Amino acid sequence: MRRLYLFVLMIVMVNFCLLNAQNRISVHQQEKILYGLNEEKPLDSEISGKGILPLQENTSKSLTGAIFGYLPDWEYLNGAQNYFDYELLTHIACFDFAATTTGSIGNPSSWPWTTMINTAHNKGVKIIMCITNFDGDEIHTIITNSTVKATFFSNVVSKIQTYNMDGVNIDFESLNSADRGTIINTFMTDLTNYVHTNLPGKEVSFAGPAVNWSGWNFSGLAASCDYIFIMGYDFFGSWSTTSGPSAPLTGGSYNITNTVISQYSSVVNTNPQKLILGVPYFGTHFITETENAGAATVISYPGSPRFSSTYPASSTYGYIWNTTYKVPWYKYQASNQWHQVWFDDDSSLGLKYDLAISKNLKGIGMWALGYDSGRQELWNLISNKYGTSTSPKPAIPSWTYIKNLTTTSAQVSCEFPNYAAGIMVYKSTDGINYTDSLTFTSGEFILDGLFTTQTYYIKLKAFNLAGSSALSEVFAIRPMSNHPGVLIVNGFDRIIQNDNTRDYIKTYATTFADRNLYYNYDCANNEAVYLNHVDLSEYFLVIWILGEESTADETLNTIEQEKLKAYLTWDKSLFISGSEIGWDLGRTGTSSTADLDFFNNYLGATYVADAPMGTSSTYYNISPAGTNFVSDLGSFNYDDGTHGFYNTEWPDAIKPNNSDLLFSFTGVDAAVNGGAGVYVESPYKSIYLTFPFETVYPKSLRDSLFNRMFDWLILHGAVDDENSILNKFELSQNYPNPFNPNTTISYQLAENTHLTIKVYDVLGKEISVLVNQDQNKGKYSVNFDGSKLSSGLYFAKIETGSFTKTIKMSLIK
């Protein structure tokens, strides 16, 4: 069914590009089509408002303006509300209650949101019903037909009463030109009077456009209701012929400054407390002919990426501040095309908030709550501009990388977030009870005093005097004497109905522990990989966990794809699983050229369907396909939501592409309707599964399956000798790099040999001899101490009888 909704969206967008600027489809409508139409909308007869508490007074809340956030039902389903700072909100607008031409009003998915509403009400946050319609003719009927209008008004009041809400926000867009002035203003006046009469103290507001293309009377609209939420975005988008930001502060004929001081001047000059300035928590992504900002001819518009992905990506691609628009952006090339991503962050939004404050507006708001995915930066900005806190709480460390150091220690590297005073680490030996906490004052530290071969589960959070961030996902480590050859990467960030426990590294860690594999592992999240804190070349197997990661969170972004492409060309091995990889990367006509190239030519797959036979929540049994290294294990199941993991409703169906079919959905003809996994044997080794591997049960079967695939990936066929070493010489990049003052240099010998490892400065002067001896075939590491050296570039060189390699090392003091 989701293919149908996407098709509808594509038709809408194609038709939209033919329209003029007056008829732009807003991000509200675009994203409702993309994310919202396939969710079940309960009827009032099926639900009740029982248990919803009324709004409570919060005497501790000391905000200096209104903070009004839209919460779409797809973000509610993703658990976004679990990361809200309710002390920094005054209004949550529940999106969306769809209005019809009969005056009826639908409900959002999973309504009522009782727990969230009660949490908000206990914190003094008002719950607003956002009623939508995006069809001009339908809106005309609702606002002009007296019978429909009366029914609509009655239903508004009834819903507010039933669910203990605190007001209504009317989001009617694409109004016919004739309806934009007196007619809509009269409708809003009548609605406001009706609500105020029947429900004193409840609020009525309107979602207004950023630009008066024609017909609007903003002064009259403001007078007709309690306030207007200005949708201060969509200045650039899918319709644009040149690239640019969704919400430029300045530049061009139309921008946020123009919106406030010109478009809404009549309201700003007389009653600014009637206006809330809305800002985007999303950006714009253009594929362009050139890299030039603003002047580039647009080839296509992949979508509106969220702050949670654009902000960290800008650190890797290169953060650029545009002085014309007063917003940041970044650019990169992929598949010989230029990509430009424009977004808002705390710097650009801060300037918009300053404008709202300087004009004494009622406050600010955002589309949409949840698009920061638990990051703290934008909450801190609200605190700085509208709160009284002098020290905002820090964010969760966005990236973390944990690697074996010795038989009793591990090295932890993580982001040290803004405002953080330190990092608190929680350890566990069972992955359940995290009772041992340690505190560090930097993002680089050593966990020592560990027991050899004991598996430790690790969670982190940042803290300061104002409080602490939420806890990170779960990482794991098992100190051993041998150098880790495996990297486990958690790339599953998406939260779906609270299904993602963010602890799936545990699945692999317990398997390693139970088998006591000779090959050890390090672990990281995907942010650590694409932000260049991990050198994939150190590992000969990467395990990449994607769960139900999908389009909204970027299954694999362009940086990750490029890193994995390079990694595979080094004759390495990859094990990757996830139910939405094909949906995101493999759809011809929808996925980007770079996505399709990676999916078809590196994962070795062709996308067939979003679920086998196009049917979700049906096929949960997997059978080996043909005769291969797993064929004797028989069929097995993955979770339908009743076995302790989560319900994998939409596992992609795929066909091999220069690869071999590994698994089929039981009862589905894979040759016709696609299978559940493929493997590539040459020129590298990879296994790609379309069901999340961590959901296979029981554990004993999952372990057997993993061990068989592990043997094939690492040992090049099932063998009994787990002490086998890859027959390859290697000198890995030192870690950490840059370093101060110590760093570790790892290397591998394919045979017994005499070797030297020496360090030189930039002038070629020998600084140190780290190794000069005979050593047996195997993996080794050596420490280099630069405490007596000055900052600068140094070189480590390994020489054997048949192998020479040099790496660069940066010492920074």
Side-chain angles (χ1 to χ4, degrees):
M1 287 297 293
R2 285 192 291 179
R3 286 189 294 169
L4 173 61
Y5 295 118
L6 186 70
F7 176 74
V8 172
L9 175 63
M10 291 171 62
I11 295 298
V12 169
M13 299 304 291
V14 169
N15 289 335
F16 176 65
C17 292
L18 303 177
L19 302 179
N20 60 30
Q22 299 184 36
N23 295 306
R24 291 175 178 173
I25 294 178
S26 78
V27 68
H28 294 200
Q29 183 178 0
Q30 290 179 28
E31 294 193 339
K32 176 178 178 177
I33 294 171
L34 183 57
Y35 303 124
L37 290 185
N38 60 327
E39 304 292 353
E40 294 183 4
K41 313 287 185 177
L43 302 175
D44 282 327
S45 60
E46 302 170 336
I47 54 179
S48 75
K50 184 178 180 180
I52 297 180
L53 302 175
L55 180 68
Q56 306 295 305
E57 182 181 4
N58 185 353
T59 57
S60 66
K61 194 183 291 287
S62 55
L63 295 170
T64 59
I67 312 297
F68 184 111
Y70 284 99
L71 175 58
D73 55 7
W74 54 86
E75 283 304 299
Y76 172 81
L77 293 175
N78 285 346
Q81 64 276 9
N82 297 319
Y83 301 99
F84 293 171
D85 190 334
Y86 290 93
E87 294 294 338
L88 296 175
L89 287 169
T90 60
H91 298 73
I92 296 176
C94 302
F95 185 98
D96 69 318
F97 295 78
T100 73
T101 53
T102 66
S104 68
I105 303 170
N107 293 312
S109 297
S110 295
W111 188 259
W113 303 343
T114 303
T115 301
M116 187 279 291
I117 294 173
N118 288 344
T119 300
H121 275 170
N122 282 328
K123 294 290 187 178
V125 180
K126 295 179 179 180
I127 298 297
I128 305 299
M129 171 174 54
C130 177
I131 302 180
T132 63
N133 193 291
F134 304 108
D135 183 279
D137 292 337
E138 291 186 5
I139 293 171
H140 178 78
T141 298
I142 296 170
I143 65 180
T144 60
N145 183 292
S146 59
T147 301
V148 174
K149 185 175 172 180
T151 302
F152 179 83
F153 286 3
S154 176
N155 285 332
V156 169
V157 168
S158 175
K159 280 188 180 287
I160 291 175
Q161 289 177 316
T162 300
Y163 302 112
N164 253 331
M165 291 184 284
D166 306 293
V168 59
N169 174 254
I170 302 298
D171 186 10
F172 286 176
E173 301 180 35
S174 302
L175 272 71
N176 297 332
S177 296
D179 293 337
R180 294 177 186 169
T182 302
I183 293 177
I184 188 61
N185 291 353
T186 300
F187 171 83
M188 289 302 299
T189 298
D190 294 344
L191 174 62
T192 301
N193 290 337
Y194 188 89
V195 171
H196 286 177
T197 299
N198 289 277
L199 300 172
K202 303 299 183 180
E203 299 178 355
V204 180
S205 59
F206 188 85
V211 176
N212 186 355
W213 297 111
S214 68
W216 292 94
N217 178 354
F218 289 148
S219 179
L221 182 61
S224 73
C225 60
D226 293 315
Y227 54 90
I228 299 172
F229 180 99
I230 303 173
M231 294 182 286
Y233 30 79
D234 294 333
F235 287 86
F236 287 81
S238 58
W239 57 87
S240 303
T241 57
T242 59
S243 61
S246 181
L249 179 69
T250 57
S253 300
Y254 297 101
N255 51 58
I256 293 296
T257 302
N258 173 270
T259 292
V260 173
I261 69 174
S262 179
Q263 305 294 322
Y264 282 85
S265 61
S266 59
V267 186
V268 172
N269 294 335
T270 58
N271 197 351
Q273 286 293 301
K274 287 270 190 172
L275 298 176
I276 290 177
L277 177 61
V279 299
Y281 275 16
F282 64 92
T284 56
H285 181 184
F286 299 93
I287 296 179
T288 57
E289 289 186 356
T290 72
E291 62 181 308
N292 302 324
T297 299
V298 172
I299 297 172
S300 63
Y301 185 79
S304 303
R306 300 173 181 184
F307 173 78
S308 59
S309 63
T310 58
Y311 182 77
S314 67
S315 299
T316 295
Y317 289 123
Y319 183 99
I320 307 171
W321 180 261
N322 185 275
T323 57
T324 299
Y325 298 131
K326 304 296 191 295
V327 297
W329 67 294
Y330 58 86
K331 58 186 177 180
Y332 60 89
Q333 273 191 301
S335 299
N336 297 318
Q337 290 182 317
W338 279 102
H339 292 247
Q340 296 188 19
V341 179
W342 300 74
F343 66 103
D344 274 280
D345 65 354
D346 49 357
S347 296
S348 60
L349 292 179
L351 297 177
K352 296 176 177 68
Y353 295 174
D354 289 342
L355 175 63
I357 292 169
S358 71
K359 296 300 180 181
N360 197 32
L361 303 191
K362 180 179 178 68
I364 55 93
M366 68 288 297
W367 178 273
L369 290 169
Y371 285 8
D372 52 355
S373 295
R375 295 193 65 89
Q376 192 66 31
E377 292 86 358
L378 303 188
W379 293 110
N380 288 342
L381 175 64
I382 294 172
S383 178
N384 287 337
K385 297 295 184 180
Y386 286 93
T388 58
S389 173
T390 57
S391 179
K393 293 187 295 185
I396 302 173
S398 62
W399 64 269
T400 300
Y401 178 31
I402 303 181
K403 62 183 303 183
N404 283 268
L405 198 59
T406 70
T407 57
T408 59
S409 64
Q411 179 164 322
V412 180
S413 303
C414 67
E415 179 194 30
F416 197 78
N418 291 336
Y419 308 107
I423 302 293
M424 187 167 288
V425 178
Y426 294 85
K427 293 190 303 182
S428 170
T429 56
D430 61 8
I432 300 172
N433 301 297
Y434 292 83
T435 57
D436 187 8
S437 62
L438 302 168
T439 301
F440 300 91
T441 56
S442 74
E444 296 276 348
F445 51 89
I446 304 297
L447 297 178
D448 53 18
L450 307 179
F451 292 101
T452 303
T453 72
Q454 169 66 56
T455 300
Y456 294 91
Y457 303 99
I458 308 294
K459 292 196 283 190
L460 318 172
K461 68 179 181 180
F463 69 90
N464 63 15
L465 292 176
S468 62
S469 70
L471 284 165
S472 71
E473 63 229 80
V474 175
F475 301 91
I477 200 72
R478 184 174 62 142
M480 289 177 64
S481 59
N482 59 301
H483 178 74
V486 181
L487 176 70
I488 306 174
V489 179
N490 182 28
F492 184 14
D493 297 320
R494 184 185 183 198
I495 306 295
I496 307 175
Q497 300 183 36
N498 302 315
D499 280 348
N500 187 353
T501 57
R502 304 192 303 156
D503 65 354
Y504 298 115
I505 284 179
K506 285 170 52 178
T507 302
Y508 299 88
T510 57
T511 297
F512 272 84
D514 290 347
R515 180 177 170 178
N516 195 27
L517 286 168
Y518 173 78
Y519 291 101
N520 201 12
Y521 59 86
D522 294 337
C523 62
N525 55 15
N526 64 301
E527 289 84 0
V529 175
Y530 74 71
L531 292 173
N532 291 322
H533 299 289
V534 179
D535 180 6
L536 295 183
S537 69
E538 292 187 19
Y539 304 94
F540 39 82
L541 170 63
V542 169
I543 298 171
W544 202 290
I545 304 168
L546 284 171
E548 294 186 292
E549 196 79 347
S550 190
T551 51
D553 298 277
E554 286 194 299
T555 300
L556 287 170
N557 65 32
T558 305
I559 301 176
E560 292 164 348
Q561 291 177 34
E562 292 300 319
K563 287 183 177 294
L564 286 174
K565 286 180 182 179
Y567 170 80
L568 290 173
T569 61
W570 301 329
D571 192 25
K572 305 283 189 172
S573 296
L574 172 67
F575 178 74
I576 187 168
S577 70
S579 63
E580 303 284 349
I581 300 172
W583 169 258
D584 189 356
L585 306 180
R587 290 175 293 158
T588 302
T590 300
S591 303
S592 70
T593 302
D595 287 347
L596 287 168
D597 174 60
F598 182 80
F599 187 77
N600 298 150
N601 299 321
Y602 288 85
L603 295 187
T606 299
Y607 176 82
V608 177
D610 194 22
M613 306 294 290
T615 306
S616 69
S617 306
T618 302
Y619 296 94
Y620 294 97
N621 189 262
I622 300 295
S623 299
T627 302
N628 51 52
F629 47 91
V630 296
S631 57
D632 63 319
L633 293 178
S635 62
F636 56 90
N637 289 88
Y638 58 90
D639 198 6
D640 60 0
T642 64
H643 293 85
F645 296 98
Y646 52 86
N647 186 5
T648 304
E649 302 171 85
W650 298 90
D652 293 323
I654 60 173
K655 291 182 180 180
N657 183 50
N658 293 320
S659 61
D660 292 292
L661 192 67
L662 185 61
F663 292 113
S664 299
F665 296 100
T666 303
V668 176
D669 185 345
V672 177
N673 298 303
V678 297
Y679 65 101
V680 177
E681 191 161 11
S682 179
Y684 49 82
K685 289 203 167 189
S686 70
I687 295 175
Y688 158 39
L689 306 182
T690 70
F691 53 93
F693 177 75
E694 63 270 11
T695 65
V696 173
Y697 67 91
K699 181 182 184 301
S700 57
L701 190 149
R702 185 174 65 246
D703 287 352
S704 296
L705 180 61
F706 177 79
N707 290 337
R708 193 66 59 83
M709 293 188 294
F710 181 91
D711 284 341
W712 183 81
L713 286 164
I714 294 299
L715 306 179
H716 298 278
V719 298
D720 295 324
D721 181 11
E722 291 186 347
N723 293 317
S724 296
I725 301 294
L726 290 179
N727 295 318
K728 182 178 180 181
F729 286 99
E730 185 58 82
L731 174 66
S732 299
Q733 186 64 48
N734 63 302
Y735 186 88
N737 189 41
F739 66 98
N740 179 27
N742 293 288
T743 189
T744 298
I745 301 170
S746 300
Y747 58 100
Q748 176 177 294
L749 304 178
E751 59 187 31
N752 301 345
T753 187
H754 181 87
L755 75 147
T756 62
I757 298 179
K758 299 179 180 180
V759 177
Y760 302 87
D761 64 16
V762 291
L763 299 178
K765 179 183 177 181
E766 182 179 299
I767 300 298
S768 176
V769 178
L770 302 180
V771 180
N772 184 8
Q773 64 185 78
D774 293 328
Q775 288 186 340
N776 294 330
K777 172 182 178 179
K779 287 180 170 291
Y780 302 88
S781 62
V782 62
N783 180 70
F784 174 56
D785 183 356
S787 58
K788 297 181 180 180
L789 301 175
S790 59
S791 296
L793 187 65
Y794 294 87
F795 301 88
K797 183 178 182 180
I798 185 173
E799 288 186 291
T800 74
S802 59
F803 176 73
T804 300
K805 183 177 178 180
T806 302
I807 59 171
K808 296 180 181 179
M809 307 185 297
S810 296
L811 173 61
I812 298 178
K813 291 187 174 181

